Structure formats: structure tokens, C-alpha cells
């Protein structure tokens, strides 16, 4: 399930990261070119926050949710320190990346603690491939010259087809895992 969520998150990030300037110009009558740099990290942070429950499954299923405040506090403290450093280094853009980093730390720490109570296997290769494709897609879309939707739209659709294929592979893997679990004899 986490692989499917990461593939969906990747599709969202490609969309928002690749078309940040166009989206800002649609939303606002004034031109805010610096705002486009904030779209991707803030979207990543909110996207990570949305997949966090999937990575804390062990805490939720095993009713060990009393660990969640400690995980949030540690992630928040690390994120606050990192954000402070990033703001002093990169200003408002650093604050946005600090938000994404804090969300990532919350997901990662929650997963680590959750594994202690209910180990859930994660397909890390799927994650690595998805992250590489998303990063490449955003780089390609963001590096196009201004006003080049004729180029961006077909490239965007190619990357969306790749992301949908990854999503389909994740769902097939989830269905296969579910079928195998149903066919196991009861202990």
C-alpha cells in the first residue's frame, strides 16, 4: 500500500513541481516568480504528511499509539533545528524545504518505531525507482524555457504514464501479497 501511495505522491509532485510557475500565474493576478520555488517543497511536505499513517501501521494496529507524541516531538525538534539552519542559508525557500524535511523525519521515525512492534516489509527498490523518476521528471519539466507548454505537456504525459505504470505495479504487488496471505493455512 505504501508503494501505491508513494507513486500517487510522485505523480502529484511531478504535476506541481513541473507546472509551479503556471499554477502560480493562474491563481494570482500578480506575478510571483519566487513563489514557484515554494510549491514543490511544500507539496512534498504535505504529501509526506498524508502518507504518514501507512508508515506507522505497526503503532496503529498494535495499539502502541502512545509512542506517537514522542516520535512527533523528536521529528519536530530535528526539523525545527534543520529549518532554522536552512532559513539562515536559503531564506524562505529554506523554510519550505525545512517543512518537507520535518515531514520526512516524522515519516521515517514513525516507521522505525513502528517496525519494533509490527515489522512491515517495504519495497525499497520501488521507492528508489519512483523517487529517481520523480526527481528526473521535475528536473526536466522545471528546466524548460518559459512559456514552453508545447514541450512540457507531452513530456508531462509521458512521465504520468510511467507513474501510472509504477502505481499499477504496486497494486499488482499488493493484490499478490493479499492473495498469498489468504492462501496461507491458519496457525
Amino acid at each position: 500500500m505504501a508503494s501505491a501511495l508513494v507513486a500517487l505522491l510522485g505523480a502529484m509532485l511531478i504535476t506541481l513541481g513541473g507546472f509551479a510557475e503556471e499554477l502560480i500565474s493562474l491563481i494570482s493576478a500578480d506575478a510571483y516568480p519566487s513563489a514557484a520555488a515554494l510549491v514543490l517543497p511544500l507539496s512534498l511536505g504535505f504529501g509526506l504528511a498524508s502518507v504518514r499513517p501507512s508508515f506507522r501501521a505497526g503503532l496503529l494496529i498494535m495499539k502502541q499509539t502512545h509512542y506517537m507524541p514522542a516520535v512527533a516531538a523528536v521529528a519536530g525538534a530535528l526539523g525545527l533545528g534543520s529549518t532554522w539552519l536552512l532559513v539562515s542559508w536559503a531564506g524562505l525557500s529554506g523554510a519550505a524545504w525545512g517543512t518537507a524535511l520535518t515531514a520526512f523525519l516524522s515519516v521515517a521515525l514513525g516507521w522505525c518505531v513502528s517496525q519494533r512492534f509490527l515489522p512491515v516489509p517495504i519495497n525499497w527498490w520501488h521507492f528508489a525507482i519512483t523517487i529517481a523518476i520523480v526527481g528526473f521528471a521535475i528536473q526536466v519539466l522545471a528546466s524548460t524555457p518559459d512559456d514552453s507548454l508545447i514541450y512540457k505537456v507531452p513530456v508531462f504525459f509521458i512521465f504520468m504514464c510511467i507513474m501510472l505504470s509504477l502505481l499499477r505495479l504496486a497494486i499488482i504487488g499488493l493484490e499478490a501479497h493479499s492473495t498469498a496471505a489468504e492462501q496461507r493455512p491458519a496457525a
Side-chain angles (χ1 to χ4, degrees), residues 48 71 74-80 82 100-110:
L48 285 168
V71 168
V74 170
L78 292 172
L80 181 63
S82 301
L101 179 63
T102 303
F104 172 77
L105 289 170
S106 180
V107 170
L109 291 172

Side-chain angles (χ1 to χ4, degrees), residues 42-73:
L42 291 176
S43 299
L44 176 61
F46 288 115
L48 285 168
S50 69
V51 300
R52 183 176 33 218
S54 295
F55 287 87
R56 293 181 174 177
L59 295 175
L60 299 169
I61 293 169
M62 302 306 287
K63 302 198 183 327
Q64 298 295 320
T65 56
H66 58 276
Y67 285 97
M68 287 183 180
V71 168

Side-chain angles (χ1 to χ4, degrees), residues 101-122:
L101 179 63
T102 303
F104 172 77
L105 289 170
S106 180
V107 170
L109 291 172
W111 180 78
C112 289
V113 173
S114 180
Q115 289 295 97
R116 179 175 170 216
F117 300 102
L118 181 66
V120 176
I122 300 283

Side-chain angles (χ1 to χ4, degrees), residues 78-134:
L78 292 172
L80 181 63
S82 301
T83 301
W84 182 73
L85 291 172
L86 288 169
V87 166
S88 65
W89 176 61
L92 192 56
S93 182
W97 282 107
T99 300
L101 179 63
T102 303
F104 172 77
L105 289 170
S106 180
V107 170
L109 291 172
W111 180 78
C112 289
V113 173
S114 180
Q115 289 295 97
R116 179 175 170 216
F117 300 102
L118 181 66
V120 176
I122 300 283
N123 186 345
W124 293 109
W125 281 108
H126 189 273
F127 280 4
I129 290 168
T130 302
I131 290 168
I133 291 170
V134 168

Side-chain angles (χ1 to χ4, degrees), residues 176-187:
H177 182 71
S178 176
T179 303
E182 289 173 2
Q183 293 176 352
R184 279 188 228 134

